[in-house]
Amino acid sequence: MTNQLTDRMQEEKHLKDCLGIIKANIDAYQKEIHTMSADIQDMYERYRDDDPEVFTELNNTITMNENMKTALSKNKRALKKPYFGRIDIQDGDREIETFYVGKGGVMKDTTHIMVVDWRAPIANVYYENGLGECSYTAPGKQTYTIDLKKKRTYEIAGEELVDYYDSEVVANDELLTKYLAKNKEAVLGEIIATIQKEQNDIIRKSPYRNMVVQGVAGSGKTTVAMHRISYILYNYEKDFRSEDFYIIGSNRILLNYITGVLPDLDVYGVKQMTMEQLFIRLLYEEWDEKKYKVVPCKIENVKKGTLSWYQELQQFCNRLEEATIPQDDIYLKNSILYSSEQIKCYREENPSVSVQSKINALNKRVISKLKNQITGRDITYTAEEKRKLLREYALMFGSKKWKRSIYDIYQQFLMEQDLAPAKSQKEFDVYDLAALAYLYKRVKETDPIREAHHIVVDEAQDFGMMAYSVLHYCIPDCTFTIMGDVSQNIRFGFGLNDWEELKKLILTNSKDSFGILSKSYRNTVEISDYAQKILEHGSFSSYPIEPIIRHGNPVSVRECKDEKKMIDTCVKILNQWQKDGHDTIAVVCRNAEEAKEVSKHLASKITIEESDLEKAEFKQGIMVLPVEYTKGLEFDAVIIYNPTKKDYPADDGHAKLLYVAATRALHELFIVHMGDKSNLL
C-alpha cells in the first residue's frame, strides 16, 4: 500500500512539473509572438522594393512567428491532457529510461523532452507491444531491440490525475470500453490514447506503398486515415508536405468533419474534395461550372462505373490515336525520312504520353531528321528551299495544339456505346467526369501538372472501378490509402461489392498491402447485433464483425398511427436524449426530400441544426439527414425515421443502406414507423 501511495505521489508530482513547463512555454511563446509581431509591423513600415536585406529579414521573421504560433497552439492543447501513456524501457545493460507519450511533444528545453509525440518511432512501443523483449524501427533507419519493463495509461482531467492503469498486454480493453461509453465529443478527444494494434499497424505503414483497408462499420477507418496523414507528415517531413495529400470523401458533410478534426492532429492545409471535385480538378481549364452541372449517377447507366467501361474507353482512345497520327512512311524525295516502323515503335514505347504530345514529339523528330538530311550533304539546297521544306514538314503529324473539344470526343464514345444523350450533354455524373479526365490526359494534355503524392480515399466502396482506373492513370506517381467497407456499398451497382479488382489494380508491389479492421468500437452489443441481422437478409457475404463488449439499452422500435404521432414521438425521444447528455443526434431519413419535410416539422417543436445539405455541418445538436449523407459519420444517438417496405425493399442494396443507418449510433438506436415497416427490420 505504501508503494502504491509513493507511486501515485510521484505521478502527481511529474504531472505538476509537466504542467508547469507547459505553462512556462505558453507564457514564453506569447511574449515572443508579441515581440515578433511588433518587429514585423516595424519592418513593413521600413520596407522598400530596393532593400533585399529587409525583405529577407521580414520573411524569416514571419516564418519564425508562424512556427511560434504553432508551438503555442500545441502547448495549449497539451495543457488539457499533457500525456496519456508511459513506457519504461531498457536497452541492453543501460539504465531503465522512462518516456511519457502524448498527443504532442512537450520540450523542457532544446535538449530535454518531457513528453514524446505519439507519432515518434519510440511511441510505437506503447501501441504495439506487451511487456518483455520488443523492438521499434525509425523510418528509414535501423531497428532497436529493447526490454519493455512497464506500460502505463493515464486518465487526466482538469489538470488533475484521475487514475492510471498498468498493462502487461498490447491493448487495454478495460480503459477502451470506459472511453467508448462517453459521448461522441469525449471519445474524439481520447482516440490517440486508445489506438489499437491493428489500427496502429495501418497508421504506421510506409507512405511509399499502396494500401487497401477493409474496415467494418465502427472500426475507426476515417480516424485511422486522419492519424495516418499526421504520422506521415511527422516522420517523413522531407518527402511529404500537407499540400502533397488529397483526402477524397463521399460528401461535403463528411469532408468538413474531417477538416475540423485534422488541426487537432497537427495537420493543416490538406486538400479535401469529393471524387467529382477531383475529376473536375483533373480537367483543368476544360470545366465551366456555369455551363455544366454535376448530377448523381442513374441506375440505368450502371455500366459506366465498371472496369469494362474503362477498358472500352481505353480501346476507343487507341483507335482515335491510330486515326489521328499518320502511320505511313514519310519521304524526302525518293528516300524514307522517317519510317512507319519508327512511328509505331515510338507510339508503343510511350503508352502514357497523350496523343497531342506524341504528335508534337514526332513533329520534332521529323524536323530533326530533315535538318540532318538537308545540311552537310552532297545535294545542296538553297536557303529558300530549306525554309520551304521546314515549313512543309513542320506539322507533318498535326498541329501543335489539340483543337477538338474533349466533350465532343466523349459524345462520340457514348454514341459508339449506344448511350449518347439526345442533345448536347450539360449534366455529368462522377463516371462521366472520370471519362472526361481520362480523355484530357490521354488525348490533349501537353504539360503535365504535378498532383498529389498520396491520396486517401474514405468510404472507398462507394466508387466503381472506372473511378480508380482513371485515378491510377491520371496520377501515376501517387500512392494510395484506400479505406472502405463493402458491406456499406449503397451505390446500387456502381460501387464495389468486393475488393478483388481494386487489389489487382493497386496492390502490384510485394510491399503493397491489404488490411482488415474487424473490430467495431462504435456500437453497443445490442446495436451491433441488430444491425448484423439486417445484413443477414442479403444474398452477399460480408466480413465478420468483432464488437467490443459494451452493453447498452435495447434497440427500440415503435409503431405510430400517423405522421403527426411519429413527429411527436421523435420530439419526446430527442428531448430525453439531450437531457441524458447525448451531444450528437441524428434523425435519418430515406432521401433529401423526406429529410427536408421532417426537419421542418421537428423545427416547429425543437431546435434542429442546419438541414440544408449545401450548408449543414457536423456538430453538436440534432441533425436531420438522408441516409447517404450519414456515411462515415457517427452520433451518440440515432432515430431511423419511417423505414417503409417501399423505401427499403428486401434486396441487397437496401439491406446495406439500412445497415449504414443503424450503425451510425454509438449508444441509442430508435426506429419509428407507421406499421409498414421494412421486412429488413
Side-chain angles (χ1 to χ4, degrees):
M1 187 69 177
T2 304
N3 287 340
Q4 287 181 343
L5 286 172
T6 304
D7 197 24
R8 184 172 183 94
M9 289 171 64
Q10 288 175 342
E11 290 290 8
E12 288 176 342
K13 182 181 183 304
H14 183 270
L15 176 60
K16 184 179 178 181
D17 291 346
C18 190
L19 289 168
I21 287 168
I22 293 170
K23 289 174 181 177
N25 286 347
I26 289 172
D27 186 54
Y29 287 134
Q30 285 176 332
K31 289 178 180 176
E32 195 68 36
I33 289 167
H34 179 76
T35 301
M36 282 188 180
S37 297
D39 290 343
I40 290 169
Q41 185 60 38
D42 179 60
M43 280 184 270
Y44 271 127
E45 291 174 359
R46 292 189 290 111
Y47 176 66
R48 299 189 310 275
D49 290 343
D50 60 348
D51 194 338
E53 194 173 312
V54 172
F55 178 76
T56 302
E57 187 181 357
L58 175 61
N59 272 340
N60 291 342
T61 307
I62 289 172
T63 301
M64 289 170 60
N65 198 36
E66 290 303 314
N67 291 340
M68 285 286 179
K69 287 177 180 177
T70 301
L72 175 61
S73 176
K74 189 180 291 187
N75 275 265
K76 283 182 174 179
R77 289 200 301 270
L79 195 59
K80 297 175 184 177
K81 185 172 182 177
Y83 48 85
F84 54 77
R86 165 183 164 180
I87 51 174
D88 291 3
I89 65 170
Q90 187 171 26
D91 184 359
D93 297 328
R94 297 178 183 176
E95 291 186 3
I96 294 175
E97 292 182 275
T98 296
F99 294 92
Y100 286 82
V101 182
K103 189 180 284 189
V106 176
M107 301 292 294
K108 184 177 182 179
D109 51 50
T110 53
T111 57
H112 294 86
I113 301 172
M114 285 293 287
V115 179
V116 172
D117 192 293
W118 72 273
R119 299 166 291 185
I122 187 66
N124 192 39
V125 175
Y126 174 81
Y127 295 111
E128 198 77 9
N129 302 103
L131 300 186
E133 186 174 298
C134 58
S135 63
Y136 69 94
T137 305
K141 298 177 184 176
Q142 70 184 85
T143 298
Y144 301 90
T145 301
I146 55 170
D147 186 5
L148 180 57
K149 298 290 188 182
K150 177 178 295 206
K151 186 163 84 167
R152 179 170 285 177
T153 303
Y154 301 90
E155 274 193 272
I156 297 170
E159 300 186 18
E160 296 290 332
L161 179 62
V162 178
D163 209 347
Y164 58 87
Y165 311 84
D166 284 343
S167 175
E168 296 182 1
V169 294
V170 174
N172 189 334
D173 286 341
E174 178 189 348
L175 182 64
L176 174 63
T177 304
K178 189 172 182 178
Y179 284 143
L180 292 175
K182 298 179 181 181
N183 66 27
K184 168 70 177 171
E185 294 302 310
V187 170
L188 273 176
E190 308 294 352
I191 284 171
I192 292 175
T194 58
I195 290 171
Q196 301 298 287
K197 185 181 186 304
E198 69 272 16
Q199 296 173 323
N200 186 59
D201 289 343
I202 291 166
I203 289 169
R204 295 175 187 258
K205 286 279 187 185
S206 167
Y208 305 113
R209 301 299 176 203
N210 293 316
M211 179 166 50
V212 176
V213 178
Q214 156 62 37
V216 300
S219 58
K221 296 183 292 296
T222 302
T223 299
V224 167
M226 290 187 287
H227 284 72
R228 177 161 167 72
I229 293 171
S230 179
Y231 170 79
I232 293 170
L233 288 173
Y234 181 89
N235 286 282
Y236 299 88
E237 58 181 345
K238 289 183 179 179
D239 293 340
F240 290 90
R241 300 167 299 169
S242 293
E243 53 266 36
D244 294 328
F245 287 86
Y246 294 168
I247 300 175
I248 309 303
S250 55
N251 65 70
R252 190 190 57 78
I253 295 176
L254 173 61
L255 289 171
N256 285 349
Y257 161 68
I258 291 172
T259 304
V261 175
L262 282 175
D264 203 40
L265 297 175
D266 211 19
V267 176
Y268 305 87
V270 171
K271 295 183 182 72
Q272 296 116 37
M273 63 194 86
T274 62
M275 191 68 84
E276 290 89 341
Q277 288 170 331
L278 176 54
F279 287 133
I280 288 171
R281 179 184 178 88
L282 295 175
L283 273 170
Y284 305 107
E285 77 277 3
E286 294 293 317
W287 181 259
D288 183 346
E289 61 181 19
K290 293 180 181 179
K291 185 177 179 181
Y292 303 124
K293 182 181 179 183
V294 178
V295 295
C297 304
K298 293 180 180 178
I299 192 65
E300 60 264 28
N301 293 332
V302 67
K303 185 183 178 183
K304 287 183 179 180
T306 63
L307 179 60
S308 63
W309 185 256
Y310 175 74
Q311 291 166 342
E312 293 278 4
L313 185 61
Q314 279 185 309
Q315 292 166 16
F316 169 81
C317 287
N318 291 341
R319 293 193 299 273
L320 177 69
E321 181 177 306
E322 286 181 10
T324 303
I325 297 177
Q327 308 295 312
D328 298 332
D329 294 333
I330 295 174
Y331 286 85
L332 177 64
K333 293 190 180 295
N334 294 320
S335 62
I336 295 176
L337 182 65
Y338 205 78
S339 70
S340 60
E341 187 62 31
Q342 286 174 302
I343 297 169
K344 181 182 176 183
C345 284
Y346 174 76
R347 287 180 55 225
E348 290 178 351
E349 290 170 3
N350 295 276
S352 61
V353 175
S354 74
V355 176
Q356 183 60 57
S357 292
K358 285 175 182 171
I359 289 171
N360 294 347
L362 287 167
N363 282 335
K364 286 180 181 178
R365 288 180 174 217
V366 166
I367 289 298
S368 178
K369 284 270 189 180
L370 178 64
K371 287 179 177 178
N372 285 337
Q373 290 288 332
I374 62 177
T375 56
R377 293 280 177 154
D378 294 337
I379 302 173
T380 58
Y381 292 87
T382 65
E384 181 55 35
E385 287 174 328
K386 289 180 181 179
R387 284 195 294 270
K388 185 178 178 181
L389 284 169
L390 288 171
R391 285 196 300 271
E392 182 182 339
Y393 282 80
L395 302 178
M396 185 62 65
F397 288 92
S399 63
K400 295 179 180 179
K401 190 173 181 181
W402 190 267
K403 294 178 180 179
R404 189 180 172 194
S405 164
I406 293 297
Y407 295 88
D408 288 344
I409 298 172
Y410 185 49
Q411 292 297 303
Q412 180 186 338
F413 171 68
L414 291 176
M415 286 176 67
E416 290 188 14
Q417 305 297 318
D418 295 324
L419 280 174
K423 55 184 180 180
S424 180
Q425 191 171 356
K426 296 286 191 281
E427 296 182 342
F428 300 90
D429 64 33
V430 65
Y431 300 112
D432 292 321
L433 295 171
L436 289 167
Y438 176 82
L439 287 170
Y440 180 87
K441 179 83 173 177
R442 176 71 177 83
V443 175
K444 184 175 180 178
E445 182 184 71
T446 54
D447 186 15
I449 296 173
R450 180 68 173 167
E451 291 288 345
H453 287 192
H454 195 88
I455 292 178
V456 175
V457 183
D458 197 15
E459 301 297 329
Q461 74 285 341
D462 285 353
F463 309 107
M465 282 302 299
M466 172 64 180
Y468 294 109
S469 300
V470 172
L471 280 186
H472 194 250
Y473 178 81
C474 289
I475 315 179
D477 299 322
C478 174
T479 50
F480 293 85
T481 297
I482 296 175
M483 319 279 286
D485 177 13
V486 290
S487 293
Q488 296 184 65
N489 172 20
I490 63 172
R491 296 302 181 193
F492 298 96
F494 283 102
L496 300 178
N497 293 314
D498 62 59
W499 298 110
E500 297 313 307
E501 286 183 336
L502 184 62
K503 285 158 70 174
K504 288 177 184 177
L505 175 71
I506 298 293
L507 308 183
T508 55
N509 187 285
S510 60
K511 292 186 179 179
D512 293 337
S513 60
F514 178 72
I516 297 177
L517 294 173
S518 56
K519 288 185 179 179
S520 176
Y521 305 98
R522 177 186 298 151
N523 317 119
T524 61
V525 171
E526 290 75 14
I527 295 171
S528 182
D529 288 347
Y530 189 86
Q532 197 64 29
K533 287 175 182 174
I534 296 173
L535 282 187
E536 289 171 4
H537 287 85
S539 61
F540 52 87
S541 59
S542 58
Y543 286 83
I545 298 174
E546 302 172 33
I548 294 295
I549 304 303
R550 179 174 65 87
H551 285 283
N553 293 327
V555 175
S556 296
V557 181
R558 188 169 302 175
E559 182 177 340
C560 299
K561 64 179 182 181
D562 55 33
E563 190 168 3
K564 181 180 182 303
K565 185 64 176 175
M566 277 202 303
I567 294 293
D568 290 341
T569 299
C570 288
V571 170
K572 184 177 178 181
I573 294 297
L574 294 169
N575 276 324
Q576 185 58 53
W577 281 347
Q578 289 190 314
K579 285 179 184 177
D580 293 343
H582 294 311
D583 294 331
T584 56
I585 300 172
V587 179
V588 180
C589 300
R590 176 61 186 90
N591 51 47
E593 293 75 20
E594 184 179 58
K596 186 176 181 180
E597 193 66 22
V598 171
S599 180
K600 184 174 72 174
H601 289 312
L602 290 175
S604 67
K605 300 172 183 287
I606 193 171
T607 302
I608 300 293
E609 297 303 321
E610 175 63 65
S611 58
D612 184 336
L613 296 176
E614 295 303 314
K615 300 176 183 176
E617 304 281 345
F618 180 84
K619 60 173 68 173
Q620 289 187 5
I622 301 167
M623 301 185 74
V624 183
L625 295 169
V627 59
E628 67 180 71
Y629 275 79
T630 66
K631 294 289 296 294
L633 303 175
E634 57 186 34
F635 303 85
D636 292 328
V638 169
I639 291 176
I640 300 179
Y641 187 87
N642 199 25
T644 65
K645 292 183 178 72
K646 179 182 176 183
D647 284 342
Y648 297 93
D651 59 37
D652 288 0
H654 288 90
K656 292 180 178 182
L657 193 66
L658 208 44
Y659 172 76
V660 167
T663 53
R664 300 309 94 194
L666 276 81
H667 309 298
E668 301 279 0
L669 178 60
F670 187 91
I671 297 166
V672 60
H673 64 96
M674 290 193 297
D676 187 30
K677 176 168 63 71
S678 170
N679 290 330
L680 294 167
L681 297 172

